[in-house]
Amino acid sequence: MGERIKEKLEILADAAKYDVSCSSSGSNRKNKEKGLGNTGAGICHTYTEDGRCVSLLKILLTNHCIYDCAYCVSRKSNDIKRAAFTVQEVVDLTINFYRRNYIEGLFLSSGIFKNADFTMERLVQVAKKLRQEHNFNGYIHLKTIPAASPELIHEAGLYADRLSINLEIPTDSGLKLLAPEKNRGDMIQPMTYLKDQLVKTKEEKKIFKSTPHFAPAGQSTQMIIGATGETDKQIITAANYFYQKFNMKRVYYSGYVPISYDKRLPAIGTEVPTARENRLYQSDWLMRFYGFQANEIVNDAHPLLDLDIDPKLSWALRNMDRFPIDINKDDYQLILRVPGIGVGSAQKIIAARRFGPLNLDHLKKIGVAVNRAKYFIVCKGFMQIYADKRSDIIKSYILNTSKSKYLSTGNQQLQLF
Amino acid sequence: MQHVDMYYDGTWSGLLTTIFEIFEYKVFPITLRNSKERQQGMFQTEHEVLTQQGKADRVMNGLIAKVGKKGYAELWHTYLSELPEAPLLVVRVASYYFNDARNVRSNFAHDHILQLKKIIKSVSRERHRMKAFTRFQLLADGMYVAVIEPDFNVLPLIQKHFQDRYADQRWLIFDVKRHYGLFYDGHVTSEVTIDHTSTIANATLVDLHDQQEELYADLWKRYFKSVNIKERRNMKLHLQHVPRRYWKYLHEKSFGMEI
Ligand code: SF4
């Protein structure tokens, strides 16, 4: 059995890798009754050669699929090797990898064979077996198959930590063009169901502590970036909508990797838009942790993110009238708006200034990128001479002194401000 | 206050006792070294601390009352870094805590606090890496064994994590650099040492493997290769996350090879 399982794993891991999510966070499942595993540590057990975190065993149950979505390697018309795991094989792999501390858990997705429910049922079986027969308390992320029945989705939520349905293409017109057999409604319907269940469970938990878990790490989704001609404004507006409307824990952005000669798509050999992807993640962080509104980052006057500077700096330069911020007096929320000051530094500033006023040297020690921040702040003994407040000049100063690490290395890590 | 060269036995309790005696004898260390390094002959400006658990406990409780359990843990983690400057820094920061009426643990503009936070950050990164990069091998007798070689003495800091997670399997994590390990027998975890002439190494474990061990190690290697997206390759970032010095303990890199 050794050789066949090796081949299957190669095929079905390869097919799953375009789903960028590998997060194992957001859930705090305890190891119960001396079983195996727990969640909450959010560990990356290794990193791929492209620098992505490997936290979960991320595989497809099968890459057989009845659909023909143009952007997907598993599409029906693609001439590739096909394989399928049995339920037991996935369970064994998960348990054995987990016991050796290779992974935090399982992320199981699948091509659609026969129909949505038939596929979803198999995914649920894996999760159920892991939880009930192996007392496995590690992380389980299940893909929800669009148009699967609410009963199955509900069952999935009882065993999984996180559920996700990918939006794939940010705009409806793009989706119609590339996946004409799919429709947005089939994706939205389970998202709505999940959202309602998650809210309900939360309410019930307040009253009955014994309410069973329901996808404690919530739901997430992914959009492919750069496969159709969408603007950043469209992407960020869509992300914002899904955060607000469906309580998404995370929206992932996946730069399209050209895998097809289909005329509707960027040609093979086109570069993966990793720089743009990085700017989108930064914008996403601004919305989630920095109190930014989507329309502050992109709007009709500014529909595309700058690639040469990060979105926070870009916003600051477009809003010079909001500065300078007083490091020793202003609120946390305002300090967070300063380019060069991240969440960690802002918290430290608030904590440290209680013991006395802070100067530039203090800020440097705390970890502020002073080269960047100095155009936007006043602090003890320091006030920038705004001989010329023109933002284009400040921008060129900043670009000259702090070379964007991102652009110089083609780095795709989140370089956050 | 008299400034002296101080010596202690190198243990954590010894360091806490040192803090106690600074206040008791109104002395302050210019240097703080292990008693083993002490030359014969007692000079006026020397003070040797003899560890007393009673004094150590009082300092521990005092610190917890002053800066909380977290503040106390930070000092312990700094000590575990084993950096040459760590013991003196711990003493300095602890006396800063005791001498100031306020809780100054979050005075990030203070030089010693900053230095302490920096060390804690490195220790905590190493602790996190050991949670991530520790790889168990299953032996034929059902025990899971891992060999590690952390930069700092973080084994005590990962004990609870592994105990909670692998509650139903027997495991041993062995620090080859410090020559001791943690063994969990399915109920309790205890510290184990083996005699100094022998060691536990990946090379010698192979003969003891369970018959499925090679299969799963190989599957993991293949998995690692298959999830890579070559169009996105970025080795600089990869190395930043998985520095070379850890590779010989990772199957997906160069397990067992000396680099
Ligand atoms: S349904 Fe899913 S697996 Fe099938 S072709 Fe479309 S995206 Fe790929």
Side-chain angles (χ1 to χ4, degrees), chain A residues 34 45 58 99 104 365, chain B residues 111 135 165 169 186 223:
Chain A
K34 264 199 168 200
H45 284 276
K58 180 164 54 181
R99 286 197 182 284
E104 292 292 291
K365 285 183 186 159
Chain B
D111 278 340
R135 296 281 190 265
R165 177 161 288 198
Q169 69 194 44
Y223 175 68

Side-chain angles (χ1 to χ4, degrees), chain A residues 6 17 31 34 37-38 45-50 52 56 58 98-101 104 277 365, chain B residues 106 111 131-132 134-135 164-166 168-169 186 213 216 218 223 227-228 232-234 238 252:
Chain A
K6 285 174 189 173
K17 73 187 176 188
N31 186 339
K34 264 199 168 200
N38 53 16
H45 284 276
T46 190
Y47 290 81
T48 57
E49 289 188 352
D50 51 306
R52 284 172 310 132
L56 303 170
K58 180 164 54 181
Y98 195 88
R99 286 197 182 284
R100 288 168 174 77
N101 205 38
E104 292 292 291
E277 185 188 286
K365 285 183 186 159
Chain B
S106 54
D111 278 340
K131 289 183 188 174
T134 293
R135 296 281 190 265
D164 289 348
R165 177 161 288 198
Y166 299 110
D168 71 339
Q169 69 194 44
E213 180 53 31
Y216 282 106
D218 185 61
Y223 175 68
V227 290
N228 191 40
R232 301 179 58 124
R233 192 175 138 97
N234 182 346
H238 175 70
E252 68 272 23

Side-chain angles (χ1 to χ4, degrees), chain A residues 362-373:
Chain A
H362 290 139
L363 293 182
K364 215 175 265 169
K365 285 183 186 159
I366 280 173
V368 171
V370 171
N371 262 340
R372 184 169 274 249

Side-chain angles (χ1 to χ4, degrees), chain A residues 15 60 62-77 82 109-113 143 145-146 166 168 178-179 181-182 187 224:
Chain A
L60 300 188
T62 177
N63 63 343
H64 288 284
C65 191
I66 54 174
Y67 285 94
D68 204 33
C69 311
Y71 48 80
C72 176
V73 267
S74 304
R75 66 187 181 278
K76 184 174 62 186
S77 62
R82 306 276 168 176
S109 178
S110 185
I112 300 170
F113 49 104
K143 192 51 75 63
I145 305 300
N166 288 351
E168 307 297 10
L178 297 179
E181 311 149 292
K182 278 200 172 167
M187 301 176 180
I224 299 171

Side-chain angles (χ1 to χ4, degrees), chain A residues 308-325:
Chain A
D308 58 345
I309 53 172
D310 68 69
K312 189 174 164 191
L313 178 58
S314 169
W315 173 83
L317 292 172
R318 279 180 279 127
N319 292 277
M320 287 307 288
D321 56 314
R322 306 277 285 267
F323 298 99
I325 301 289

Side-chain angles (χ1 to χ4, degrees), chain A residues 77-271:
Chain A
S77 62
N78 202 16
D79 182 20
I80 48 161
K81 272 195 195 165
R82 306 276 168 176
F85 280 126
T86 63
V87 168
Q88 191 59 44
E89 282 169 340
V90 177
V91 169
D92 288 343
L93 273 174
T94 307
I95 295 290
N96 278 288
F97 278 12
Y98 195 88
R99 286 197 182 284
R100 288 168 174 77
N101 205 38
Y102 298 165
I103 53 171
E104 292 292 291
L106 172 69
F107 178 175
L108 187 61
S109 178
S110 185
I112 300 170
F113 49 104
K114 282 196 185 154
N115 58 50
D117 274 357
F118 193 85
T119 310
M120 192 71 214
E121 213 184 304
R122 293 297 177 291
L123 300 185
V124 172
Q125 268 181 27
V126 171
K128 185 175 182 178
K129 223 175 176 156
L130 281 167
R131 294 281 189 237
Q132 295 193 337
E133 287 175 28
H134 295 267
N135 193 4
F136 175 73
N137 304 291
Y139 200 88
I140 300 180
H141 178 161
L142 291 186
K143 192 51 75 63
T144 312
I145 305 300
S149 71
E151 292 75 31
L152 281 170
I153 295 174
H154 186 84
E155 213 187 339
L158 296 179
Y159 307 120
D161 293 284
R162 172 167 286 178
L163 296 167
S164 66
I165 304 162
N166 288 351
L167 288 166
E168 307 297 10
I169 304 298
T171 60
D172 291 351
S173 56
L175 187 69
K176 269 204 195 89
L177 176 72
L178 297 179
E181 311 149 292
K182 278 200 172 167
N183 81 66
R184 197 60 107 200
D186 288 345
M187 301 176 180
I188 301 287
Q189 173 218 320
M191 279 185 193
T192 313
Y193 178 81
L194 281 174
K195 187 214 149 189
D196 293 343
Q197 284 300 309
L198 287 164
V199 171
K200 200 172 123 207
T201 310
K202 211 172 158 193
E203 287 305 312
E204 283 174 4
K205 270 215 179 293
K206 279 186 202 153
I207 308 165
F208 308 106
K209 265 199 101 155
S210 59
T211 306
H213 282 308
F214 187 86
Q219 59 172 332
S220 65
T221 190
Q222 170 176 295
M223 291 188 262
I224 299 171
I225 301 313
T228 53
E230 72 287 329
T231 64
D232 295 320
K233 177 175 172 254
Q234 285 173 309
I235 296 167
I236 289 171
T237 310
N240 188 46
Y241 176 80
F242 283 93
Y243 275 125
Q244 313 244 311
K245 256 298 229 266
F246 300 94
N247 297 358
M248 286 291 159
K249 272 277 162 58
R250 285 296 301 275
V251 174
Y252 291 93
Y253 311 90
S254 167
Y256 176 68
V257 181
I259 41 98
S260 165
Y261 289 102
D262 193 315
K263 284 277 177 324
R264 291 170 290 177
L265 286 161
I268 287 197
T270 311
E271 220 180 294

Side-chain angles (χ1 to χ4, degrees), chain A residues 337-355:
Chain A
R337 293 256 162 172
V338 177
I341 300 184
V343 171
S345 310
Q347 286 171 349
K348 283 183 185 154
I349 287 170
I350 301 291
R353 72 184 187 183
R354 290 183 292 132
F355 301 101

